[in-house]
Structure formats: C-alpha cells, structure tokens
Amino acid sequence: MSAEDLEKYETEMELTLYREYRDVVSIFKYVVETDRRFYLCNQVDVKARTEAGEVFFEVSMSDAWVWDMYRPARFAKNVKVLTFKDVNVEELSPADIDPSKA
C-alpha cells in the first residue's frame, strides 16, 4: 500500500466518521472533550481527585458515542476516563445540533 493509498483510506474513514457523528448527535445531550478523545453522551459526571499530591479528573459517562475512526464499535454503555489534563463538558442545545432551529 502506497502512502497515497493510506492517505486516501484515512480520509475516507474520517468522512465516514463525520457522517456517523452527524447522524447520531441529535440523540445525545452532552459533548465531552478530553486530551485524547471526543465523546457524545447522555449522562456525564466529572470528579476532581487527588492522589499523592497530584490532581486528576475522573470522568464517568453513560450511553456514549466515541469519536475514534479506529474503533470498530463506537457506542458504549459506560465509559470511564482518568486524565491529568483538561476536560471540557458542554450541554448540547437543539441550535447546536441543527442551526435552522435557532
């Protein structure tokens, strides 16, 4: 497989992932962004934890969809993420999903 073939394959995978995101975003309530992944979910809980003087975040999500083109199954019943980096949680509104509803 040439570098051009690989680039074309990855571009097609990203486009497929975007289309899937566009199709499912309306069934979710929250967007959660960590340093490694982007999630859609219907429930999210973020807790700051301290251990040995280090602060980290424990993010628990249920009924989630994971933006990851290499993951064969993107839907997950429960997800738990531990991270030392920032976590961004946003509640979606209908206008975020479909600008025509603004």
Side-chain angles (χ1 to χ4, degrees), residues 40-101:
L40 299 171
C41 63
N42 285 318
Q43 289 184 315
V44 61
D45 182 43
V46 180
K47 293 184 176 145
R49 304 277 191 201
T50 305
E51 189 172 303
E54 296 286 333
V55 176
F56 63 95
F57 299 99
E58 180 181 332
V59 184
S60 300
M61 294 170 271
S62 60
D63 190 21
W65 181 88
V66 184
W67 180 287
D68 185 344
M69 70 182 189
Y70 299 108
R71 185 182 172 109
R74 286 183 270 281
F75 288 94
K77 183 175 173 88
N78 294 299
V79 176
K80 185 178 280 193
V81 176
L82 302 176
T83 182
F84 288 94
K85 305 220 174 164
D86 291 342
V87 176
N88 184 38
V89 177
E90 295 180 33
E91 186 171 0
L92 291 169
S93 70
D96 294 332
I97 298 165
D98 185 357
S100 66
K101 293 182 181 177

Side-chain angles (χ1 to χ4, degrees), residues 17-31:
L17 184 60
Y18 171 74
R19 288 179 178 147
E20 183 178 325
Y21 162 82
R22 189 184 59 203
D23 291 343
V24 302
V25 69
S26 64
I27 64 173
F28 293 100
K29 188 173 180 180
Y30 298 99
V31 171

Side-chain angles (χ1 to χ4, degrees), residues 1 8 32 36 38 48 50 73 80-81 85:
M1 180 179 270
K8 182 179 178 185
V32 179
R36 296 185 50 116
F38 177 87
T50 305
K80 185 178 280 193
V81 176
K85 305 220 174 164

